Amino acid sequence: GGAAAMNSKAKGNRQEHRAMAYWEARGYRCSRSAASLGVFDCICIGRKGQGVLLVQVKSNRWPRSAEMQILREFEVDSCCCKLIMRYRDRVKEPDIVEI
């Protein structure tokens, strides 16, 4: 990994922070999963009735099929919602889909 890998990682970090700010503005408390070693990038805990969001953050593309399969197969409690947030270059609002 040269400069391109570093730029890609930095961009991923920025997008994860954007995603957390998005959900924090909506009443959630968020944290990043340690160095993306977890299945999801961010965990956002809502107030009573909001539940827990498990968020995979992407830049410009949706997850590839192998990654999607891992996300789909990760079983969660009914209070949890699995989301993918995609930030596209020069587009302010993210695309959000529930898995």
Side-chain angles (χ1 to χ4, degrees):
M6 282 304 294
N7 291 342
S8 174
K9 186 166 177 51
K11 184 176 191 175
N13 288 344
R14 282 196 310 272
Q15 305 301 35
E16 289 171 15
H17 285 284
R18 274 178 81 185
M20 289 193 307
Y22 179 95
W23 293 113
E24 285 169 353
R26 288 153 179 81
Y28 289 82
R29 296 289 177 261
C30 303
S31 79
R32 288 174 64 214
S33 293
S36 277
L37 297 176
V39 176
F40 292 90
D41 295 319
C42 305
I43 299 167
C44 304
I45 301 169
R47 301 185 192 287
K48 185 176 173 104
Q50 283 184 307
V52 176
L53 304 178
L54 304 174
V55 185
Q56 181 67 34
V57 183
K58 290 292 176 191
S59 297
N60 293 313
R61 63 172 181 82
W62 296 108
R64 302 195 198 293
S65 58
E67 184 180 14
M68 270 310 281
Q69 185 172 354
I70 291 167
L71 297 172
R72 278 198 193 97
E73 290 176 355
F74 188 84
E75 293 187 27
V76 298
D77 195 82
S78 61
C79 72
C80 296
C81 182
K82 301 185 293 183
L83 300 175
I84 300 170
M85 293 182 77
R86 178 182 68 172
Y87 282 98
R88 288 176 289 159
D89 292 344
R90 297 172 296 281
V91 178
K92 190 172 184 238
E93 290 297 310
D95 301 313
I96 302 172
V97 295
E98 185 173 351
I99 305 170

